[in-house]
Structures are given as structure tokens and as C-alpha cells.
Amino acid sequence: MGVFKIFAEPVFWIIMGLLYALIGYGATLWAKDLGLKMTWWKWILFWIWFLILSLSIAGGFTLIGENEMEAGLYFLGVSLFICIVLGVILWRILTVGRNIKNSPLD
Amino acid sequence: MGNKKNRVSRREFVKLSGIVGAFLGLGGAAGAGYFSGKSKDSYTGWGKNAYGENQFFNRKPFRVKTPTYEKVGDTRRIQYLEDIFKRNGELYRLMFPRKGEKPKWSLSQGVDDLPEPLRSYYKNHPGTLEEFKKAIKKSRIQRKNWKKYKDKYLLAYAWSAAHSSPLRGKAAFPAEPEGPPEKSDFKGITTKPYKLKSPSHGSKLMKQITHTFGATLVGITKVKSDWVYQGHLRGVGKTKFKKPAHWKYAIVVAIPHEWDSLYANPVYGTSYDAYSMLNFIAGKLEVFLKHIGYSARSHVPPTDYDLAMPPLAIDAGLGEQGRNGILITPELGANARLAAVTTDMPLEPDKPIDIGVKEFCEKCKICAEECPSGAISFEDKPPDVVRGYRRWKINQDKCFTVWNTVATSHPRGCRVCLAVCPYSRKNNWIHRAAKEIDPYDPTGTFSSAMLAMQKGFFDYPGAEAYLPPPDGSNETYGEAPDWLKTEEWFDL
């Protein structure tokens, strides 16, 4: 297992927690600069989508770790496709009533 | 102006960090997932601790009053000849008698030349004697072929032999009962029975003790007469008997095979790893019970049973019977081997559970598709009524023929149906989530989605591939672990 043992260490999950805090803070700045009118339920939708994306990647790599390479790649392919579709739907929801002034995308 | 520029750059820095963090977070999820898949800690059983934590599934919401096997008519006990091992044992004794005696039957003879009750059994089950003859012929070819395969499968052979060695000979443990159960089950009791505070105390204590002996799953049930073999009793021999009065309760034990070798069946696995452990667990339990004053009799594999194990384990709430005729448990899937100890110690029985195994097996059929012998039914619903109970019945004789065919030194079993069962997966987060969520979905939609992924994403060799050439190519379901590959360790 060697280097992969790091993933069983508490310090790995502490670092993951810090990364998620950074993602959250960065996301609030991105939302402001993109002119998104974020509400609590829109944030929940965003985090659910990010969780699904994370679990899809983790799931695919879990199967690869089990020596089920083919199943892992299929799983990644299908679940990432679903994540992209959900991501597009989410973007449409988040951009409803968007203030496009100052948005770097417009 | 300069300050404003600095503020903007800090903001941009945090935004960029958020993006980088997101990628690192997703990378972390990939790494953690890979580790979870690789980790041997997700294999349930084999003594990770002695406190029963491997029995992690919460059975409480799934307890039912009546077991999931369907009673459809008058029931009866199992005639000992209905067990293939007992039946074959009788035939072997006729074909290969002790020194000084002459064979009383040979493969060139027919059913009419057999003594009773074998003659009646085979007349009532047409085709089964022919299947036995086929199995014996296959076993001769198997022995001849072994020279070709010995180098490749030497470690698997040695590993199996090591596990089976404690079960053989006079020093085997637990000792075979001698005399009627009213005597033999009480032999070795060292004290008067200690009075329990309550049957519930008895059950809790016995479960904890059984876990310390190495049991992965433990359940307790009353002993139903229907599960007691008829016509043969260990310690007595051939006899008609009633269920002994002191066989009140059974403590039922399940443990898995070592997982990597299980997935590498049929040629790398063995049944004896689990069997030898079960003998030790049940044997120790028998001694323990006798030292606190209660009768005890072990019922252990490979063939030292006076009771049928799967229905007993279903009654004890360990799991349900699958299409492959094997107990399927929430923790171990079909990778669950069974033993029991019958006792008169007052115990509180567990309740059976319904986690939807039958409904899942109705639509899955992977075990039937992968079975190299074609012994498992493809019928959607269980078509057979066996001694008054409706279930899928496996063709024991065809199954045994494949044991005699695969590339092993002797008929050492197959176990492909245990390995390919979707319930027999590692208990890492993804499979465990599926196992934990599925029973809560009464519509079956979740299990259908999981099954679609199982069939669409995972590769199965196909039934014939497990056979030796020319019919197959000695395929295994999963890759053999390094420690069973001779070529990894020796110059061949």
C-alpha cells in the first residue's frame, strides 16, 4: 500500500477540510464577481453537486483500486457525464436573475 | 492606487486558490477512493477484532416474524441420502471397501445392482446415478491432468492441504460424537448447569464468547425438526430417530473464505480455509458450553452435520437463501460458511430477517449465468418445492461433476457462485453503501440500478471459461493474489 496509507491518516482529512474551506471561500468570491444572486438553497444545490462529483471520482477510483479497472472507467465515464449534465442544469439555475455587470464572463 | 491593486490581487489569489483547492479536493477524493478499493481492511471477517464488530449490519428494521423461505405444503425432514456427500459416501464404500472386502458395486453396473435404500433413491431421481458416473470419470481425467497444472497451482494446492490437515485423522477437532446424543452431547460436562440470570443474558454471553473464538457472524435459533437429517445420526449410524429433546437451541456461526483466493476461484480457492476455522470455533464453543454445565454438539463442515445449515442460519437471522442455494448475508454476501452448536442452554432466539435477497435473486441470475456446471436455475421465481418449501433448487450432482473437472489435484470444489454474487463484495464505502441503502428501498429501483451497473460495468469470464481446455481456459473470476502464484516465488 505504501504511499497510499496517507489516505487513512487523520492528517489527510484535516487537509481535505482546509481545502474545502478554501473552496467555499473562493466560491463566494467567484459568485460575487460573476454576479450570481446566491441564496442558501442555491449554495446547498452547489455543494450537493460538488459532493456528487467528488463521490463519482472517489467511486471510480475505488473500483480501480479493487482491480476492477474496466468497471472503474465505465463508472467514471457514466457518472462524470451525469455530473456534467447536472452541472449545466445547476448553472442555469444559479444564473437566474444574474447581475451581469462586472461579470468576467460577459 | 498601489493598495487597491494589492487588494484586487489578494482577491484574485483567493479565487485562484479556490479553483486549485477544488482540483486538489477532487484529487484527494480520487486518492482516498483508490486507497479504499485497495485496502484489505474492507474485507470482513478473519478476526479483525474479537468483539463482533464485523457483524455491522443493523438487522433490527428488517426483522420478520416468519422466515423468508416459503412453506407451501406438508413438510418433512431431510433423508440423509438427499445430501450428496452422504449419498456419494455410500457409493464410495460399495466401490472401494475396506481391506479384505470385495467391491459390492462398480461403475459398469446399474441402479438395480445397488442395495437399498440407494436403489430406491436413484430410481426416484432418474439421471443422478449417470451424473455420478460422469463425475467419477471426470475425476480420473482430473488426476491425470494434474501433472500439467501442478506447477501453476502448487501454492493453492499446498494452501488447501494445510487448511484441510487439521480436519483429518484421529486427532481431528472437534472429536466425532460416539454413541447416542443423549450420552455423547453430555460427555465432558464438568459441572452442574449454572443458572443464567435470563435467556437474554445467555444469548449475549454466547455471542460474545463465539466472536472471541473467531466467528464473524453469530445468530441463535430454536432447532426445528424439519432441519434435522433423518436416517443417519452421527455417533449412532443409520437409524430412524426423533429430534433429541436437548437440541433446543442452535448457536449458528458464519465466517468467510479468505477473499482474494475466493475471487480467484475455482482453481486457486479452497473451502478448507473456512472449514478448518469453523471446526475450531464450533469445537471450542462445544467445550465452553460443557464447562458451564450444558450439553453441546458441534455440526461442522465438510460433512459432520446432523442438521441442514442454511435454513438454520436463516432462522437465526443471519441472512436469506439465494438462487445459488447458499445463505446470503448482509455483511459477507454469499461468502459465508456455516457451522452450529446445538445445546440445551436456555437462550433467547434471534428473529429472521428480510432484506430482499429473494427479490434481488429473481432479477440477477449472475450465479446461474456463471455456473460452469449449469446447476443453478434460470427460472425467475423459485419453481421447486423441496420437502414442503418453495425455493430454487440447485442440481447437486451437476455441481459435483464440475468439482471433478476443474484443474485441481482432486475434487476440491468450485465456489464460483459464491465469488460472482453481487452481495459478495468488499465492504469498502461504495459497496457497503449499496448494501446498506438497498434493503430500505421497497420498490427495488435501487437494486435494479445497481444490478444494471454490475452487469454493464463488470467483466465476467462466462461459465465455460472456468473449465480446463478443451472446454475452457482455466479462467478465474478475479485475479489470483501474488501469494498463491507459484511463478512469483519459484523458478519453474
Side-chain angles (χ1 to χ4, degrees):
Chain A
M1 293 300 290
V3 70
F4 288 103
K5 281 203 166 162
I6 185 70
F7 295 109
E9 298 292 334
V11 70
F12 167 75
W13 294 104
I14 292 168
I15 293 168
M16 284 291 273
L18 291 172
L19 283 176
Y20 272 66
L22 190 62
I23 296 164
Y25 187 40
T28 56
L29 298 183
W30 275 104
K32 267 185 196 168
D33 289 358
L34 290 170
L36 302 179
K37 287 183 178 171
M38 294 300 281
T39 58
W40 63 269
W41 61 267
K42 283 183 178 177
W43 278 117
I44 286 176
L45 285 181
F46 167 74
W47 283 113
I48 288 173
W49 176 80
F50 194 74
L51 181 70
I52 293 171
L53 180 64
S54 302
L55 291 180
S56 298
I57 289 170
F61 278 89
T62 301
L63 296 178
I64 291 169
E66 283 181 10
N67 283 340
E68 297 280 5
M69 177 64 82
E70 196 180 316
L73 294 177
Y74 271 124
F75 185 90
L76 275 175
V78 172
S79 57
L80 289 182
F81 174 75
I82 292 168
C83 283
I84 290 168
V85 172
L86 290 176
V88 171
I89 296 169
L90 178 69
W91 179 248
R92 297 297 291 267
I93 293 169
L94 297 187
T95 52
V96 170
R98 179 157 73 111
N99 177 7
I100 58 169
K101 261 187 196 174
N102 304 326
S103 166
L105 297 183
D106 295 282
Chain B
M1 212 43 200
N3 277 347
K4 199 179 175 187
K5 254 189 180 173
N6 280 343
R7 272 207 303 278
V8 169
S9 71
R10 270 203 299 275
R11 186 183 183 87
E12 292 304 319
F13 176 75
V14 174
K15 280 169 66 181
L16 188 66
S17 301
I19 297 289
V20 173
F23 279 103
L24 287 176
L26 293 174
Y34 185 78
F35 172 77
S36 172
K38 215 67 182 154
S39 173
K40 305 293 181 199
D41 286 345
S42 53
Y43 287 147
T44 304
W46 282 54
K48 244 173 270 170
N49 68 54
Y51 306 101
E53 284 178 27
N54 281 310
Q55 196 162 347
F56 54 76
F57 185 79
N58 179 16
R59 285 168 165 73
K60 212 173 174 182
F62 305 104
R63 284 180 190 150
V64 285
K65 278 184 186 166
T66 50
T68 48
Y69 47 73
E70 193 188 350
K71 195 172 165 182
V72 290
D74 290 337
T75 62
R76 66 169 175 84
R77 282 166 62 187
I78 307 164
Q79 286 295 326
Y80 79 104
L81 283 183
E82 291 175 273
D83 179 306
I84 189 166
F85 300 114
K86 294 192 166 68
R87 187 163 71 240
N88 287 355
E90 295 279 307
L91 288 173
Y92 288 143
R93 268 188 287 279
L94 295 173
M95 291 165 69
F96 312 109
R98 288 183 188 129
K99 268 187 183 172
E101 292 177 12
K102 282 184 179 173
K104 291 174 184 149
W105 189 79
S106 72
L107 290 181
S108 59
Q109 289 179 284
V111 66
D112 289 322
D113 301 312
L114 286 169
E116 287 294 352
L118 279 170
R119 189 190 311 149
S120 296
Y121 176 85
Y122 283 111
K123 280 199 164 177
N124 292 332
H125 298 82
T128 48
L129 189 61
E130 285 66 35
E131 193 67 40
F132 174 77
K133 289 180 179 181
K134 188 177 162 188
I136 298 300
K137 282 174 191 163
K138 288 279 184 187
S139 81
R140 287 173 184 161
I141 300 168
Q142 184 181 54
R143 276 169 213 273
K144 270 187 197 167
N145 279 347
W146 178 239
K147 276 182 197 163
K148 272 194 282 181
Y149 302 126
K150 190 182 173 186
D151 285 353
K152 186 164 187 191
Y153 304 125
L154 175 74
L155 292 185
Y157 166 64
W159 194 64
S160 179
H163 280 301
S164 67
S165 59
L167 310 182
R168 296 199 173 118
K170 284 182 182 171
F173 178 78
E176 268 291 282
E178 282 176 13
E182 290 73 17
K183 280 190 178 170
S184 63
D185 296 3
F186 293 83
K187 196 176 154 189
I189 289 181
T190 56
T191 177
K192 64 173 181 40
Y194 272 63
K195 198 174 172 252
L196 282 159
K197 288 184 176 176
S198 73
S200 167
H201 279 82
S203 286
K204 275 185 191 155
L205 172 68
M206 291 320 299
K207 284 181 181 178
Q208 177 54 65
I209 293 294
T210 313
H211 282 305
T212 67
F213 290 151
T216 304
L217 310 179
V218 188
I220 290 169
T221 183
K222 285 185 178 175
V223 178
K224 280 185 193 167
S225 284
D226 280 358
W227 314 141
V228 181
Y229 284 112
Q230 180 58 288
H232 187 274
L233 181 59
R234 286 179 309 141
V236 178
K238 286 178 197 168
T239 179
K240 270 203 159 185
F241 66 101
K242 282 187 177 174
K243 184 192 93 172
H246 64 279
W247 290 7
K248 288 180 180 161
Y249 299 95
I251 301 164
V252 190
V253 178
I255 67 157
H257 291 296
E258 190 285 321
W259 289 87
D260 283 339
S261 59
L262 173 86
Y263 290 139
N265 269 312
V267 280
Y268 284 98
T270 181
S271 294
Y272 286 103
D273 59 340
Y275 287 178
S276 59
M277 287 167 92
L278 283 168
N279 273 260
F280 286 135
I281 294 165
K284 287 177 193 175
L285 193 55
E286 183 183 317
V287 172
F288 180 89
L289 279 160
K290 287 179 174 175
H291 277 73
I292 53 173
Y294 295 97
S295 72
R297 168 178 287 226
S298 306
H299 304 264
V300 290
T303 56
D304 293 335
Y305 297 108
D306 295 306
L307 301 158
M309 288 293 114
L312 198 71
I314 294 169
D315 289 347
L318 294 186
E320 295 177 65
Q321 193 158 29
R323 177 182 289 274
N324 52 11
I326 288 165
L327 183 82
I328 293 178
T329 68
E331 294 90 349
L332 304 170
N335 185 15
R337 292 302 203 181
L338 299 167
V341 176
T342 43
T343 182
D344 60 352
M345 183 183 194
L347 298 169
E348 184 180 63
D350 290 300
K351 286 200 169 93
I353 58 168
D354 182 357
I355 55 165
V357 169
K358 194 176 137 208
E359 290 75 14
F360 183 80
C361 287
E362 282 175 8
K363 52 193 175 190
C364 174
K365 301 181 185 172
I366 290 174
C367 59
E369 289 159 6
E370 289 299 303
C371 174
S373 66
I376 302 172
S377 167
F378 278 92
E379 297 281 341
D380 288 347
K381 301 267 178 192
D384 307 301
V385 176
V386 184
R387 296 179 291 275
Y389 296 94
R390 185 179 295 286
R391 66 178 175 91
W392 287 289
K393 186 184 174 187
I394 70 156
N395 187 324
Q396 303 173 341
D397 303 272
K398 280 187 174 182
C399 177
F400 185 66
T401 300
V402 156
W403 295 24
N404 288 276
T405 308
V406 292
T408 46
S409 57
H410 57 284
R412 221 174 62 206
C414 167
R415 296 163 298 273
V416 164
C417 62
L418 279 67
V420 300
C421 175
Y423 281 100
S424 307
R425 309 297 300 185
K426 292 174 83 171
N427 280 305
N428 56 42
W429 70 277
I430 193 164
H431 299 305
R432 188 163 167 185
K435 287 187 207 174
E436 297 268 10
I437 294 167
D438 172 46
Y440 285 95
D441 172 22
T443 67
T445 315
F446 183 81
S447 63
S448 294
M450 292 296 108
L451 185 58
M453 281 205 270
Q454 187 74 39
K455 290 196 170 185
F457 294 176
F458 289 82
D459 193 28
Y460 292 96
E464 284 192 349
Y466 300 105
L467 301 173
D471 302 315
S473 49
N474 289 334
E475 282 283 334
T476 56
Y477 165 58
E479 200 191 333
D482 287 350
W483 51 271
L484 282 180
K485 287 181 181 167
T486 319
E487 66 273 20
E488 294 281 330
W489 309 95
F490 297 99
D491 291 326
L492 296 176

